[in-house]
Structures are given as C-alpha cells and as structure tokens.
Amino acid sequence: MERKPREGLGARKNSWFWKWFLNNQVVTALLIILLVLLILNAFTKVSYLFDPIWQFMAVVALPIVLAGIFYYLLNPAVDYLEKKGMKRIYGIILLFLVVIGLIVWGVVVIVPKIQEQSVSFANNLPDYLDTIDEKAREILSDPIFSQFQTQIESYSDRLMSWLTDFIQNFSKSTISGIGRFVGAVASVVVAIMTFPFILFYLLKDGRKLAPYVVQFLPNNWRKPTLNVITEMNGQVSSYIRGQLTVAFAVALMFILGFSIIGLDYAVTLGIVAGILNLIPYLGSFLAMVPAVFLAIVAGPFMILKVAIVFVIEQTLEGRFISPLVLGSQLAIHPVTILLVLLTSGKLFGLVGVVFGIPVYAAAKVLVTHLFEWYQEVSQYYYKEEEETSPLKEEQ
C-alpha cells in the first residue's frame, strides 16, 4: 500500500489560515500591540516592586541630566584640545576653570543687574497696570467701540474674576507647598554639588561607556546596538549644543536690540528670551509678551520699535543662525515638533516641553532601527519584483 505524500510548506501557505492570519500584516501588528498591552498590564500589577527604582531615579535624575547637558556642551572642546596635543584630563581641568570663571563673572556682573531690574519692575508694576487701564478706557470710550461696550465690560469682569481666583488659589497652593519647595531646593543644591563630579568622569571616560555596555550583549547584537547608541547620541548632542548656542545668540540679539531702542529692563528681557527660546517655535513669541507689555506702557512708537526688533531677530534666527547651527540633522517636521511639545508639555509640564524634542529624536532612531530589523526577520515586507517590459525582453 503506497503512502500518500505529506503536504509541504507550499500547500500550507495556500490555506486560508495562512493567508488570513499567519501571513496577514494587520493581524501581526494587532498581535504585537496586544502583547505589548498585556506586558504593560502585567507591570502595573507589580508596580510596587519598582518603587525603590523610581525613588533612586528621582534622586539621581537631576545631577545626571545636568551632567549630560554640560557633557554635550563641553565634550567637543575637550576633544579639540586633545587633538592639539593636550592630555584629556588637563583639557577637562582647563575647561572647568573657564566655566567657573564665567559663573563667577555672571554672579558678580549679570545677577545684580537682573536683581535690580526685577525689583524695579515689581515696584513699578502697579503704575504700569494703571497706565494700561487708562489707555484701554480711552480706546473703549471711542464711539466705534460703543456698540460693543456691554460685551467688553462682561469679558473684562470675567477676566478680573478669573485673575482674583487665580491669585487666591496660587497663594493657597504656595502656602501648602512650602514643604515641597524646601525639598525641591534641597534636591537642587545636592544636584549642583554632585553633578560636577559626574561631569568630570563623563568627559574623561564617556567614550568608553557605550562599548562597555554592549559587551554584555550577544555578539550578533553588539555592532547594531552600538550603531543605534552612536546615532542616538549624535542626535541628542547636536540638538542640545545647537539649542544652547541659538538661545545664547537670541539673548544677545534681544539685549542689544532692546538697549538700542531704549526699552526698560533690556538685560532681563533678553536673558528671559534666551531661556524661553529653548522651547522650539513658541519660546520667542512667549518672550515678546513682557516686551510688548512694557512697550504699551511706553507708547505707540515704542510698540513699533519693539516689533521691528522682533522681526529682525526672527529673520536672523530663522534664516541664518538656526540653519547654520542646527541644520537639518533632526529631520523632524514642524507640525510633529508642535505635537510633541503639546503632548510632552501636557504629560510632564515644563520638563517635557524642554526635553520632549531630544527624547523624541532619540526614540525615533530606536524605532526606525527596530522596524528595519523587523522587516528583515519577519519576511512580511519584501520588495515587489519589477515587471519586465517587452522592450527589455527584446534587448
């Protein structure tokens, strides 16, 4: 009795189960999502096991972040000094002395100026508000706005009520949050005292960190993992150095511009603009709010001069400084940047707004490499063979 041949892999591939389930990209993606959600759900059930880890990270996160920022900022200078023949440790010590000198200069020169201007602004704020209120009343008394008088007064009453409630709630939350504030100040002091030591060892041995980590991986994973880490490091470092450089240039341009036109508190406004410029696309516009406020108090001609300074700054930053410093290394669409800022700001507040873009850039590199790896091993993604045209066949 002859035995019938067993069905091969080709026969199984023609079955409906293979076509609709095993070889279906949508089903595969849904299964992967389901597995990820199940894993996340399992982690939530045992989240208490990770509490010590989160507490440890809360303590070390701030000094590590500060050390990382200064590492990306100072490492190119250390590499340059090393290429010129100076020993790396001597270059690090030299840069530390330069940074300490700049900090001392800032404390002696810049901080008193900011303090003086801030105190003056706080003392003059009631007069500024009275001036703006008088000008608003003059504008609203115009016959053109008379037909909208009721609606304007209603919106004005709502605004004042909201401001009153906000100030009261802010005062209550401030009083109740004194303990948290003291704890935060203590954490910041500890971070400032410890991060220079972390920074020193990062500058000294930071290049050895990635090879040291990947040596614990299997041999086939070492090179791809090292490539991913290197690319992520390049994205984050270029972004941080570029943003800090652009922020410094923006602060300098606003200080010079506001000083030239004679706007009060030019130094403080310029430094605030530079800090806010760390928020992509939105920082410069937020920085203009206090400048416009002071320009309204000074008069219509000052508003025009402030607008001219803003246009010049935006032109120089958008056309020359940002393309020269940042370039197109991140390759992130502006709409994506805005969505990332909104999402990270909603989830993590100010920290999310500042660090959302570099984290997204690093995550994008990781996800891109993971997807490329999945394309290779899954066999669900393949290049379609080009149809041979009759002309090619004849040739």
Side-chain angles (χ1 to χ4, degrees), residues 81-325:
L81 293 175
E82 188 178 21
K83 289 179 181 179
K84 293 298 182 180
M86 181 180 290
K87 288 187 177 181
R88 190 169 186 85
I89 190 169
Y90 295 152
I92 296 171
I93 294 173
L94 176 62
L95 283 178
F96 267 55
L97 294 176
V98 172
V99 171
I100 292 172
L102 290 175
I103 292 174
V104 171
W105 174 79
V107 170
V108 172
V109 178
I110 302 297
V111 172
K113 188 70 174 178
I114 295 175
Q115 182 181 5
E116 177 188 349
Q117 293 187 353
S118 300
V119 171
S120 175
F121 178 79
N123 293 333
N124 294 327
L125 183 59
D127 296 334
Y128 292 156
L129 293 176
D130 291 339
T131 302
I132 291 178
D133 183 61
E134 292 177 3
K135 293 184 177 181
R137 291 181 183 278
E138 291 177 3
I139 295 174
L140 295 178
S141 63
D142 192 279
I144 300 176
F145 297 98
S146 59
Q147 54 183 334
F148 305 107
Q149 190 74 22
T150 305
Q151 292 86 343
I152 293 173
E153 290 179 356
S154 175
Y155 288 131
S156 177
D157 293 338
R158 292 180 185 177
L159 178 61
M160 293 303 297
S161 176
W162 177 82
L163 285 174
T164 304
D165 294 338
F166 176 78
I167 293 172
Q168 292 176 353
N169 295 331
F170 181 77
S171 301
K172 293 178 182 178
S173 62
T174 302
I175 295 172
S176 62
I178 289 177
R180 292 195 300 270
F181 176 76
V182 173
V185 170
S187 300
V188 171
V189 171
V190 172
I192 292 174
M193 294 177 62
T194 56
F195 98 88
F197 299 97
I198 302 175
L199 174 61
F200 177 83
Y201 287 105
L202 274 179
L203 291 171
K204 182 175 177 291
D205 301 319
R207 295 175 296 181
K208 304 175 184 177
L209 184 60
Y212 176 79
V213 171
V214 299
Q215 72 176 348
F216 297 101
L217 300 176
N219 291 343
N220 326 343
W221 295 10
R222 292 180 183 178
K223 186 176 180 180
T225 304
L226 189 60
N227 292 336
V228 172
I229 293 175
T230 303
E231 189 173 343
M232 292 171 64
N233 180 67
Q235 291 279 318
V236 175
S237 62
S238 62
Y239 177 82
I240 291 177
R241 285 198 297 267
Q243 283 296 111
L244 291 175
T245 305
V246 172
F248 176 78
V250 168
L252 188 60
M253 285 190 293
F254 272 123
I255 290 174
L256 292 176
F258 291 154
S259 300
I260 291 172
I261 65 175
L263 186 67
D264 294 334
Y265 317 115
V267 175
T268 303
L269 291 175
I271 293 175
V272 169
I275 295 173
L276 290 176
N277 197 75
L278 296 174
I279 305 174
Y281 293 100
L282 302 178
S284 296
F285 292 96
L286 293 176
M288 287 302 298
V289 173
V292 171
F293 176 83
L294 292 172
I296 293 174
V297 174
F301 189 56
M302 181 58 72
I303 297 176
L304 177 61
K305 290 192 287 187
V306 167
I308 293 173
V309 170
F310 181 70
V311 170
I312 294 175
E313 183 276 331
Q314 285 292 299
T315 303
L316 293 176
E317 179 190 354
R319 297 294 180 89
F320 299 101
I321 298 175
S322 291
L324 182 63
V325 175

Side-chain angles (χ1 to χ4, degrees), residues 56-95:
F56 173 75
M57 292 301 297
V59 173
V60 302
L62 183 57
I64 289 177
V65 169
L66 290 175
I69 293 173
F70 278 88
Y71 168 76
Y72 287 126
L73 190 62
L74 300 179
N75 190 57
V78 176
D79 291 339
Y80 175 79
L81 293 175
E82 188 178 21
K83 289 179 181 179
K84 293 298 182 180
M86 181 180 290
K87 288 187 177 181
R88 190 169 186 85
I89 190 169
Y90 295 152
I92 296 171
I93 294 173
L94 176 62
L95 283 178

